[in-house]
Amino acid sequence: MNEIDSRRNIIIVGFMGTGKSTVSQLLSERLGWESKDTDAEIEKAAGRSIPQIFAKDGEEAFRDWETRVLEQTLCQGNRIVATGGGAVLREGNRRTMLERGWVVALTADKASLIRRVTSAAEGTRPLLAGDAEARVSALLEARKHAYDFANAKVDTSDRTPAEVAELLLQGLPKGWI
């Protein structure tokens, strides 16, 4: 594979609940590219769930898994890669993403995020343990500039995943499809 092909990935970043996994699947179907979800790949490689990794080894160990899986996943081109919400926290991860693809940050307003993550958070989102609304607010504040490095941003608050996917397809770099 040549250098251009190995960098032709669409990497979707954003806070939990912005629709990264769903949008990546829709893009995969439309483009015929392989879809990879780094959280699912971490669980497969580790042989444990993300909550189990957090509980036994802590967040730092999880972030190490995230970095390894991201690097492995982006070794090939023509992939749609949905990352975990915190994958952007490490400078090396941001650099890898920018070198190996077109990075899109999905965003949403706080009310939409709280509604989305609290309906699906029970036991599956270690960073939301306890008061999910307070944790979302704190994490949003801590990460308010974490996604600024992306090549493009799309607010998903009032859009369906299909609408978001269509916007991304329209915004792809020239010559990608």
Side-chain angles (χ1 to χ4, degrees), residues 12 22 24 33 42 52 63 74 76 89 102 105 107 115 123 125-126 132 141 147 150 152-153 156 167 170-172 177:
I12 303 176
T22 304
S24 71
W33 291 9
I42 290 166
Q52 289 170 328
R63 298 294 171 208
L74 293 175
Q76 296 181 22
L89 298 177
W102 185 59
T107 65
R115 185 180 66 252
R125 297 185 187 268
E141 180 60 28
Y147 306 103
K153 285 186 182 180
T156 67
L167 283 171
Q170 293 171 13
L172 277 174
I177 54 173

Side-chain angles (χ1 to χ4, degrees), residues 141-156:
E141 180 60 28
R143 295 180 184 178
K144 67 182 170 187
H145 297 294
Y147 306 103
D148 290 351
F149 77 102
N151 301 110
K153 285 186 182 180
V154 175
D155 186 336
T156 67

Side-chain angles (χ1 to χ4, degrees), residues 15 110 114 128 131-142:
F15 196 79
K110 185 163 89 172
I114 290 169
L128 295 184
D131 182 347
E133 188 170 338
R135 293 292 298 144
V136 166
S137 295
L139 286 169
L140 280 173
E141 180 60 28

Side-chain angles (χ1 to χ4, degrees), residues 36 40 48 56-57 70 109 113-114 124-125 136 147 151 153 161 171 175:
K36 292 283 188 176
R48 297 182 282 161
K56 184 171 189 264
D57 305 325
L70 185 66
D109 60 58
L113 292 172
I114 290 169
T124 63
R125 297 185 187 268
V136 166
Y147 306 103
N151 301 110
K153 285 186 182 180

Side-chain angles (χ1 to χ4, degrees), residues 1 5-9 33-34 74-79:
M1 178 176 303
D5 288 339
S6 68
R7 291 186 314 198
R8 193 168 72 172
N9 294 293
W33 291 9
E34 184 178 18
L74 293 175
C75 282
Q76 296 181 22
N78 293 354
R79 285 184 168 168

